[in-house]
Amino acid sequence: MINITELRPGNTFEYEGNIFTCLDIDLNKTAMAKMKVKVKSKNVKTGSVLDLSFIGGDKVELLRLDKKQMQYLYDDGVGFVFMDMETYDQISIDKARLEWESNFLVPEAMVTITMYESEIIGIELPAKMTLKIVECEPAVRGDTVNKAMKDAYLETGLKVRVPLFVENGESIIVYTNDGTYDSRA
């Protein structure tokens, strides 16, 4: 247990049975009142961002999350199967828990699995991933009034807006945080 004033951004802590990561902390001390501590935090399991309020003397339990690099293997129908490259152990994570991440999972992709006491909390994708375009419209000549973009469908089923010069079958780099086009691969 640590005093709430010792919490720093990046620390993971437990509060009311939930696991949070501290994003930002604001300490406010006035002469007439106890110190008020506002912690902007992210719920590790749900991904929701909350502002938690504490008093200066409150304590929280600091947690240590285990992170392990694993390789995505395949979709088994119920979940996504990942393999530890050191021990060759395989784990399956339910599809419902990885709805957004599934847009970027291609075989042999390396991801970071986050665990707490052997319970899988989630996965962290790299900032950018290379994916192949399986279907896109042909470029229309003269359609360049603004920054001309067209729809493209990637091998994972994700729909992305790409520039007109990108062709069907090319590989592109996509940001995993919002699914937008970055560049050609």
Side-chain angles (χ1 to χ4, degrees):
M1 298 286 272
I2 65 166
N3 192 317
I4 195 67
T5 58
E6 297 172 18
L7 198 62
R8 299 289 173 253
N11 290 145
T12 303
F13 64 98
E14 185 174 10
Y15 177 67
E16 294 182 347
N18 293 310
I19 300 172
F20 294 96
T21 298
C22 176
L23 302 175
D24 191 25
I25 187 164
D26 181 36
L27 307 172
N28 185 2
K29 173 71 174 123
T30 59
M32 301 291 284
K34 290 184 177 180
M35 181 179 290
K36 292 182 178 133
V37 180
K38 288 193 178 182
V39 179
K40 184 175 185 177
S41 57
K42 180 178 181 181
N43 188 318
V44 176
K45 291 184 180 179
T46 65
S48 61
V49 177
L50 301 169
D51 285 323
L52 302 174
S53 297
F54 298 93
I55 305 281
D58 290 346
K59 295 188 181 291
V60 292
E61 184 176 347
L62 203 58
L63 302 178
R64 183 168 189 268
L65 297 180
D66 297 322
K67 295 186 177 193
K68 191 148 192 95
Q69 279 283 111
M70 294 188 136
Q71 183 181 50
Y72 170 66
L73 295 178
Y74 59 90
D75 176 355
D76 68 0
V78 177
F80 298 106
V81 179
F82 297 89
M83 180 174 67
D84 184 338
M85 296 303 290
E86 294 171 6
T87 63
Y88 301 107
D89 291 336
Q90 294 183 8
I91 60 168
S92 179
I93 301 176
D94 189 39
K95 283 184 177 184
R97 293 183 62 192
L98 302 177
E99 286 183 36
W100 175 251
E101 292 87 347
S102 67
N103 291 316
F104 306 98
L105 290 177
V106 291
E108 299 182 13
M110 296 301 290
V111 298
T112 303
I113 306 286
T114 306
M115 294 179 270
Y116 175 65
E117 294 181 350
S118 73
E119 176 189 353
I120 296 169
I121 294 181
I123 71 169
E124 293 176 23
L125 297 168
K128 300 176 186 177
M129 293 203 57
T130 302
L131 299 170
K132 187 174 181 179
I133 296 176
V134 293
E135 179 186 337
C136 74
E137 306 162 2
V140 178
R141 192 171 180 165
D143 186 16
T144 57
V145 174
N146 295 336
K147 186 177 177 185
M149 303 289 270
K150 63 183 179 179
D151 291 335
Y153 293 92
L154 305 179
E155 60 189 309
T156 59
L158 181 66
K159 179 180 166 184
V160 178
R161 301 280 294 164
V162 297
L164 291 178
F165 59 80
V166 176
E167 297 294 326
N168 201 10
E170 283 188 59
S171 292
I172 61 170
I173 298 173
V174 179
Y175 289 105
T176 57
N177 61 342
D178 59 1
T180 57
Y181 169 83
D182 177 51
S183 64
R184 285 182 177 170

